[in-house]
Amino acid sequence: MADHANAAQPVLSIRDLRVSTCGREPVEILKGIGFDIAPGETVCLVGESGSGKSVTSLVTMDLLPQGELRATAGSVRLNGEEILTATPARTKTLRGSDMAMIFQEPMTALNPVLKIGLQMDEVYRAHRRMSPAERRQAALEVFASVHLPDPPRIYDSYPHQLSGGQRQRVMIAMALALKPRLLIADEPTTALDVTTQKQILSLIRELQEQQNTAVLFITHDMGVVADIADRVCVMRHGEMVEAGPVGQVLSHPTQPYTQALLRAVPSLVPRAPRPEAAGPPAIEVSALEKVFQIGSLPAQLLGRAPHRVHAVDRVSFRLAQGRTLGIVGESGSGKSTVARCVLRLEDPSGGEIRVGGQDIARLRGARALAPARRRVQMVFQDPNRSLNPRLRIAESMIEGPLNMGESRASALERAGELIEVVGLPRASLRRFPHQFSGGQRQRIAIARALMMDPEVIVADEAVSALDVSVQAQVLDLLAELQAKRDLAILFITHDLRVAAQICDEVMVMRRGSVVEHGPAAEVLAHPRHDYTRALIAAAPGRDWDFSTGRRIEVPA
């Protein structure tokens, strides 16, 4: 926490900052925002997509896209030096040496064809006069400081050879290599599971305390805010609607928008149990196995046995109509592989998958699998990738029914009905995916899944990339559709808060195996397995009920 003396000498000071689009009819993106960050202090910018959070960070780094956005008024001072009037050469020097940024997705920030060591070497060559040996040694030392295992191996690896958490640690190492006074972190943990997220947040705090770094942390995760922020600035439509110490804003928000934002955050306290459904299960999985063979052909050519990875190890569960089963666990636990096997996007290595009483585990070929695939549909994590950007929404929605033999007129009529069911107008069918917000695209993805009239929906991290308010809307939509259509939902997530609010049962996976399975109220409120307890302990803001602004008791 920054003291009052330091607060009088901010590392970053923003005053009346205004940013507009370029062109004949400019639109104001930032509307006179301002705040300070003192040495050793963490200020969190929160708000929905489009609120101006990331634009604020880009102005500070002098990285606004040329010809698209421009600062029209105000002041941005780094250590007293004005950024808005500095030359590009000067701000290039300041980036890395005095200020640095950690981006949300390290795979897009890192060059996939260059080894990590070479990319780290560029940082030192750009800002320091050092020999190649000195640069390598400095890189290995900073890799060790961010707790990366085996720094020499990391140095000689490509980005795709590292886990998501390791890639994010590399990004932090690059950002902090030259000990900048300001660190900007733009959603650096959104795509990470809770245990890796906790490690990254702890690492940023540890390095911040060692170097007295000022941190501007951009996030939509209120749990993260509760854990790391000293002060919070709430943004909406380019304006600062509320700001203050973290405890004050979370406990006693004064603005209706802040209050609504906090009410939308799901609680870690499980919802009240619903009565169990009678009748046969919509889907039943018994002793499911999936084994991947890595490097099998080269190994066989050299006379060696291929390396076998047991991604799913004898997993069993039953899911009744109208019920939701949540599968939780870290990355690599086997959650998504189970989902892909259920959808028959992967061929199981063993076990049974019964849909409507029929075992589909051993069916092969599109024709044999078509009836089962119609009964089980998927909503993916990123609708940007699951919707074809070149097709209008209508064409994307009717593709499946047309392949199953339905007439175009009938499919278009149903598409119009379903797009309204998910809360969008029929005119949306004539538009392209890029003309919608992230939440609207996910609604379209749900409507497209419903076009096949499924009995089971598999939602793989379907709300993890959405703002909390949009996330709440999509979760409410899924619950409403489930009640009306008696849908069974298999919900894959790493967010225990979401699991607590939408799931009837929770199955916890680790390294391909189920370690705990039972009613959500039992598993999340009274976990029996050490791994489940570790997951709950790692959940950000675990001791806050944001809707009431009060602290809650959570399992030890």
Side-chain angles (χ1 to χ4, degrees), residues 1-21:
M1 302 286 180
D3 57 31
H4 293 293
N6 284 336
Q9 301 171 341
V11 173
L12 178 67
S13 180
I14 295 179
R15 291 288 180 274
D16 194 29
L17 178 61
R18 297 178 181 272
V19 172
S20 296
T21 59

Side-chain angles (χ1 to χ4, degrees), residues 271 274 277-285 317-327 342-343 354-356 372-379 446 449-450 453-460 477-492 502-505:
R271 70 178 185 184
R274 297 190 298 174
I283 187 167
E284 185 172 13
V285 173
F317 62 85
R318 290 163 53 95
L319 178 58
Q321 293 293 155
R323 305 279 287 180
T324 301
L325 169 64
I327 306 182
V342 166
L343 287 152
R354 294 192 171 274
V355 177
R373 283 179 169 163
R374 182 167 191 163
R375 302 173 80 166
V376 184
Q377 289 290 300
M378 189 166 193
V379 179
I446 292 170
L450 294 176
D453 198 22
E455 298 168 15
V456 182
I457 290 285
V458 179
D460 191 359
L477 173 63
L478 285 172
E480 179 184 339
L481 293 171
Q482 181 179 51
K484 288 182 178 179
R485 294 170 175 261
D486 203 28
L487 288 170
I489 299 178
L490 188 63
F491 201 91
I492 317 294
I502 196 172
C503 297
D504 298 294
E505 297 180 32

Side-chain angles (χ1 to χ4, degrees), residues 86 118 146 159 167 274 317 331:
L118 184 57
V146 297
R167 287 193 293 265
R274 297 190 298 174
F317 62 85
S331 297

